[in-house]
Amino acid sequence: MKTYQNEHVMVNVECGIHLLQQTWTGIPTSENFRDGSLAIMALAKRHLIKRWSINLQQLRMFNPVDIHWFIQQWLPQSNPGLPQQVRVAVILTDLNQFSKLGADMVIRASTSLNEQCSSRYFIDDNESRQWLLRNT
C-alpha cells in the first residue's frame, strides 16, 4: 500500500512483513528530502519496520547538506524506538553509482548507532527483496 509520496519519494509499507520500501527519483529539494525522511521515520516507528528497501535507481543525487542533516540530526533523533535487528537493502543502477557515496555515509552512520543493523547493495530489486525476507 502506498503510504506517502512527494515529488521525489514514494513510500510503501507492507505491514504483515514489517517492510518499508522507498523509491527516490531525480534531485530532491531539501524540503522534499527532509519532509520525506520525517514521514518515513514516522511510518517505520508506527509499523515496527525490520526490513527497509531504499531504491536509488532513479535518483540523480542527494544534496550533501541534506545528507549532513540526515546523519547529524535525523538519525540520532530517530534511532530510538526502532527494532534493533533491521535489514537495509539499497538498490542502485550499478554498484559504481554516484549516489552510492551518500548511501555509504548514511549506512555507516546507521550501523554506528545500531550495530545489529545489516545492509547490502543490490542492482536487482527481486534479489534485494529475497535477502530482506530471508530469516535471520
Side-chain angles (χ1 to χ4, degrees), residues 3-11 20 22-24 28-44 46 52 62 65-67 69-70 73-74 78:
T3 54
Y4 176 83
Q5 183 171 359
N6 69 29
E7 292 177 55
H8 296 284
V9 67
M10 183 172 60
V11 182
L20 185 142
Q22 55 183 296
T23 303
W24 289 93
T29 63
S30 288
E31 180 180 2
N32 282 337
F33 178 79
R34 293 175 189 210
D35 288 348
S37 296
L38 293 170
I40 288 163
M41 185 50 65
L43 289 166
R46 183 177 323 135
W52 213 301
F62 286 124
V65 172
D66 294 330
I67 294 294
W69 167 83
F70 190 91
Q73 294 180 18
W74 185 88
S78 300

Side-chain angles (χ1 to χ4, degrees), residues 48-65:
L48 301 173
I49 295 302
K50 295 186 276 185
R51 297 169 177 96
W52 213 301
S53 173
I54 305 170
N55 190 322
L56 303 178
Q57 291 177 316
Q58 297 175 30
L59 176 75
R60 293 199 34 224
M61 71 166 44
F62 286 124
N63 181 332
V65 172

Side-chain angles (χ1 to χ4, degrees), residues 64-119:
V65 172
D66 294 330
I67 294 294
H68 181 75
W69 167 83
F70 190 91
I71 291 169
Q72 297 298 316
Q73 294 180 18
W74 185 88
L75 270 177
Q77 292 172 2
S78 300
N79 194 45
L82 285 177
Q84 287 297 303
Q85 293 184 329
V86 175
R87 283 186 169 194
V88 180
V90 180
I91 305 146
L92 304 168
T93 350
D94 64 64
L95 296 178
N96 295 318
Q97 185 174 338
F98 180 72
S99 62
K100 186 176 182 232
L101 291 172
D104 277 342
M105 293 172 65
V106 168
I107 294 296
R108 278 194 299 264
S110 298
T111 54
S112 73
L113 292 172
N114 178 359
E115 293 178 6
Q116 294 180 27
C117 176
S118 58
S119 63

